[in-house]
Amino acid sequence: MSELMKQSSNGGPAFIGQGTIIKGSIHSKEDLILDGELEGDLEVENRSLTIGPHGKVIANAKAREVDIQGNMTGNVASSGKTFIRSSGQLLGDVVTGGIVIENGAVFKGRVEILTPVNRTAEAKNGE
């Protein structure tokens, strides 16, 4: 694993720290905490994605669960829940199994909540 993306020795999440700037795509098969900057695409395969409080993301993101504590511009797709914390900002559309928007959070976009029927159909279509 590169110096930019570190994983704890106990199998914890991969971490991209503050001060790291990435232009490109990230694809992870592990939980990911992104507290740096990313411009590109972000896919966390059937795992959780956390945009930390210092995170600045301009990307479309796909993960099982998304927790936004920093700033994100782009669309979010999550089969589980999407959280926009009081310190978070999301400018983009959300397709999710459920959403929690804390008091003080900033959100501008559309939300589509997937029902169990929608999730089954998407799984069959390979999404």
Side-chain angles (χ1 to χ4, degrees), residues 52-108:
H54 302 103
K56 293 179 183 169
V57 175
I58 300 173
N60 292 325
K62 185 176 181 180
R64 183 188 69 226
E65 186 173 278
V66 178
D67 190 337
I68 302 168
Q69 301 168 15
N71 295 323
M72 180 171 176
T73 300
N75 298 328
V76 172
S78 66
S79 56
K81 282 192 177 179
T82 299
F83 299 88
I84 307 172
R85 304 297 180 179
S86 60
S87 61
Q89 174 179 301
L90 173 62
L91 305 176
D93 296 339
V94 179
V95 177
T96 185
I99 191 162
V100 175
I101 303 173
E102 291 183 349
N103 192 26
V106 174
F107 172 64
K108 183 175 181 181

Side-chain angles (χ1 to χ4, degrees), residues 25-70:
S25 298
I26 294 177
H27 181 98
S28 178
K29 293 184 179 184
E30 300 297 327
D31 291 342
L32 177 63
I33 299 171
L34 197 159
D35 210 23
E37 297 181 32
L38 169 71
E39 186 176 333
D41 288 303
L42 187 51
E43 183 175 358
V44 180
E45 199 172 301
N46 201 30
R47 298 296 208 153
S48 68
L49 166 65
T50 300
I51 307 299
H54 302 103
K56 293 179 183 169
V57 175
I58 300 173
N60 292 325
K62 185 176 181 180
R64 183 188 69 226
E65 186 173 278
V66 178
D67 190 337
I68 302 168
Q69 301 168 15

